[in-house]
Amino acid sequence: MYLRKSRAEEHRSLEETLSKHRAALTAFARRQGLTITDVYEEVISGESLFARPQMLRLLEAAGAGRYDAVLCMDMQRLGRGGMYDQGFILDTLKESGTLIITPERTYDLAAELDEQAAEMETFLSRSEYRMIAKRLRRGTLQAVQNGAYLAAAPFGYRKARTGRLSTLEIVPEEAECVRYIFRLYAGGSGCTRIEEAVNAMGWRGRRGSRFNRSTIRLILSNPVYIGKIRWNRTETVRSGVGAERTKRVVLSPPDKIWLLEGRHPPIVSQELWDAVQARRAERSVCVDNHRAACPLAGLVRCARCGRSLIYQGKNKGVPYLRCPTKGCCAGAKYDLVEQALLARLEGLMESVPVSAPPEPPDGPELAAVRRRTALQFARLAERRERLYRLVEEGVYSPTLFSQRMQALERDAQALELAAANAEAPPPPPEPERTALDCWRAAGPAGKRALLRTLIREIVYEKEKKTKPAEFSLTVILRDFS
């Protein structure tokens, strides 16, 4: 039995929905004389198949031949993701000979008509899902354009409603703190001094936490405090294929970020906001994490408080390493720390050879790759023939046929590339290099990766009011035995 909540049941709780479906399917199985051996309850309703762990467990068990059938409320519960996900689910159940049983119908994917009906059901459910998601996005966008504030209330505000729209109202005591922060910064104070002043005056965050520099910077950069709404600030980037698919949230380009008029009252004036932003622009330093990353990031720790040292470009652009704990170890110029570390490691790095990359599989491994590739090509040929048959019989429209054929061709190109890579001759052997050679040729990101292979931790200590190079480094190497 497979249970999953659908979009159409958002008004019910997850527990209520799954309990109701379990009771209905158990009663149906009793009437039909079916024996339920396992129950898979999906508590995470993700769009992607690989974001649903219970479905993956079910497919693995079904592929091993453990079940005669899968019982669910309807075909939509199995999957309404992309074509790849739907095809993967149906192919797995078909190859294992597993039936799909719903209270309305039993699908035997080995039978042509049932397979066509299952494919049509999954296609229609996917279309319904996309339509629901489109309506939700459109409704959200309309609400934001009308001045509604949909995110969690920032410091200085609490959530409120204007008619049917969600907005913000001012929390007087918190708003006083926000104005104080803006005035101090416009008057010439930095984030560190503002942090000290705000904490000294007894202001605390929502959960009783003390303010820090990061919180101050977030407040100073949030246009909500002048009555604006910032929308589409981040976007989700997806990469990878199949089980390797990942997604991460990144900042949107400036031209994609919307700044709209909100319905909530401002806390600071436009003049104060402009003065703060002008000063922030003068003091900002752009850091490219790919080209200017700190090779020692995450490796150097303070000997007293144990926190990781942070990399800051101050004092006319000279980069420094400093402890984030106020009053702890004194900071030092980054170049001096790097030179001291390199002098300590030079002998070790000269004696550590860099191994050549492994050669492609050969013998039994290459034969297994070839068998797997041939099997995948055969499956692609079967999918292509099935597509031609369905469009000839009028089951698929020309538009749907074109979409499915494009997806098939993409899979075929990816498979051809993988097959070509498997058969490629091994690259010529590289001359033997040492870790020191790699260090000299690498950029900041490469140096950081190299250090992480050699060093477990670096302990740093420096007294206040000492000479720039008077610091101590304790280097803890990884175990190479």
Side-chain angles (χ1 to χ4, degrees):
M1 183 189 298
Y2 180 73
L3 305 172
R4 183 170 73 92
K5 183 180 178 181
S6 73
R7 288 263 187 173
E9 297 164 324
E10 293 292 339
H11 60 284
R12 296 196 187 101
S13 67
L14 176 66
E15 295 77 10
E16 179 186 2
T17 301
L18 297 186
S19 176
K20 179 181 177 182
H21 290 176
R22 178 196 282 265
L25 291 179
T26 302
F28 174 80
R30 190 181 300 113
R31 291 194 302 270
Q32 300 296 322
L34 304 176
T35 301
I36 299 175
T37 57
D38 293 305
V39 178
Y40 297 85
E41 293 187 357
E42 200 75 75
V43 297
I44 302 175
S45 185
E47 175 184 354
S48 169
L49 166 64
F50 297 96
R52 292 193 275 137
Q54 294 300 316
M55 172 54 73
L56 294 177
R57 289 183 56 231
L58 169 61
L59 292 178
E60 181 180 4
R66 285 178 52 187
Y67 307 126
D68 296 320
V70 174
L71 178 62
C72 57
M73 288 299 295
D74 50 58
M75 288 291 296
Q76 296 180 5
R77 311 293 163 164
L78 291 181
R80 62 193 309 175
M83 294 182 179
Y84 177 89
D85 293 346
Q86 296 174 355
F88 184 83
I89 293 172
L90 294 181
D91 287 347
T92 301
L93 297 179
K94 177 183 177 181
E95 292 173 6
S96 63
T98 307
L99 304 179
I100 301 174
I101 301 178
T102 70
E104 289 77 24
R105 178 172 179 173
T106 297
Y107 299 86
D108 182 359
L109 299 179
E112 183 176 348
L113 292 179
D114 282 356
E115 183 181 18
Q116 292 177 4
E119 290 179 346
M120 185 59 65
E121 287 281 348
T122 54
F123 171 74
L124 293 176
S125 67
R126 172 64 180 167
S127 300
E128 180 186 3
Y129 170 81
R130 296 179 65 180
M131 183 60 65
I132 293 174
K134 182 178 179 180
R135 292 196 193 104
L136 290 175
R137 288 194 300 268
R138 185 169 57 203
T140 300
L141 184 58
Q142 288 177 350
V144 172
Q145 290 174 336
N146 287 330
Y149 191 90
L150 304 180
F155 185 80
Y157 290 101
R158 67 169 66 96
K159 296 299 287 287
R161 300 197 71 83
T162 301
R164 299 179 61 183
L165 294 178
S166 175
T167 185
L168 300 171
E169 64 181 14
I170 293 177
V171 179
E173 184 178 350
E174 295 181 0
E176 182 182 353
C177 177
V178 172
R179 296 189 191 98
Y180 183 72
I181 290 172
F182 273 86
R183 286 197 299 267
L184 285 182
Y185 193 88
S189 298
C191 291
T192 300
R193 290 186 179 179
I194 296 175
E195 169 198 352
E196 296 171 356
V198 170
N199 289 326
M201 295 184 67
W203 275 306
R204 295 292 182 266
R206 290 276 170 79
R207 299 180 181 177
S209 58
R210 296 170 61 88
F211 283 83
N212 55 46
R213 291 185 297 274
S214 298
T215 307
I216 302 297
R217 283 193 289 267
L218 288 174
I219 290 176
L220 293 172
S221 64
N222 195 343
V224 71
Y225 296 115
I226 54 170
K228 305 287 187 181
I229 295 175
R230 183 170 52 191
W231 189 252
N232 202 36
R233 181 169 177 261
T234 60
E235 57 186 21
T236 302
V237 177
R238 293 176 171 83
S239 60
V241 179
E244 302 298 325
R245 282 189 292 182
T246 60
K247 61 180 181 180
R248 56 192 178 94
V249 178
V250 299
L251 291 176
S252 301
D255 57 339
K256 290 187 178 182
I257 300 177
W258 293 12
L259 199 60
L260 307 170
E261 288 292 338
R263 292 175 174 261
H264 61 277
I267 289 180
V268 300
S269 65
Q270 185 68 49
E271 293 76 17
L272 181 56
W273 169 267
D274 292 339
V276 166
Q277 302 313 310
R279 185 164 180 263
R280 291 183 70 243
E282 293 175 357
R283 293 167 57 88
S284 64
V285 178
C286 180
V287 177
D288 186 336
N289 288 330
H290 296 286
R291 292 180 294 177
C294 172
L296 302 182
L299 284 176
V300 186
R301 295 190 176 274
C302 177
R304 298 178 184 175
C305 67
R307 298 178 67 182
S308 295
L309 269 62
I310 59 177
Y311 178 83
Q312 288 187 340
K314 291 188 175 181
N315 296 347
K316 298 182 180 180
V318 177
Y320 266 71
L321 283 178
R322 59 178 298 274
C323 178
T325 303
K326 183 175 177 57
C328 200
C329 286
K333 291 182 180 180
Y334 171 78
D335 291 341
L336 295 178
V337 177
E338 185 181 66
Q339 291 170 13
L341 176 64
L342 187 58
R344 190 82 57 85
L345 296 177
E346 191 167 357
L348 173 65
M349 296 175 76
E350 284 183 337
S351 63
V352 176
V354 178
S355 59
E359 295 185 357
D362 198 3
E365 293 184 24
L366 183 57
V369 171
R370 288 171 176 167
R371 287 195 299 271
R372 180 68 179 175
T373 303
L375 178 61
Q376 294 300 320
F377 275 123
R379 290 179 177 176
L380 286 174
E382 292 177 2
R383 285 174 57 188
R384 185 177 282 108
E385 290 297 327
R386 187 163 65 247
L387 285 176
Y388 287 135
R389 185 173 66 252
L390 291 175
V391 73
E392 290 173 355
E393 295 173 356
V395 177
Y396 277 2
S397 66
T399 301
L400 178 57
F401 171 78
S402 176
Q403 294 174 351
R404 298 299 296 267
M405 184 58 73
Q406 289 175 6
L408 188 147
E409 294 300 332
R410 286 195 297 269
D411 292 345
Q413 292 174 5
L415 183 58
E416 290 173 358
L417 179 61
N421 291 337
E423 298 289 345
E430 295 185 0
E432 183 174 347
R433 299 184 300 166
T434 65
L436 186 59
D437 296 329
C438 295
W439 173 273
R440 290 167 176 163
K447 290 180 178 179
R448 180 170 56 181
L450 178 59
L451 286 178
R452 288 183 176 276
T453 64
L454 300 174
I455 300 173
R456 178 178 300 163
E457 188 179 48
I458 303 171
V459 181
Y460 166 93
E461 187 172 14
K462 188 178 192 300
E463 297 292 339
K464 297 283 186 181
K465 298 181 180 180
T466 54
K467 294 181 179 180
E470 289 184 355
F471 55 81
S472 66
L473 296 179
T474 303
V475 182
I476 304 174
L477 301 175
R478 295 190 178 276
D479 186 7
F480 296 105
S481 59

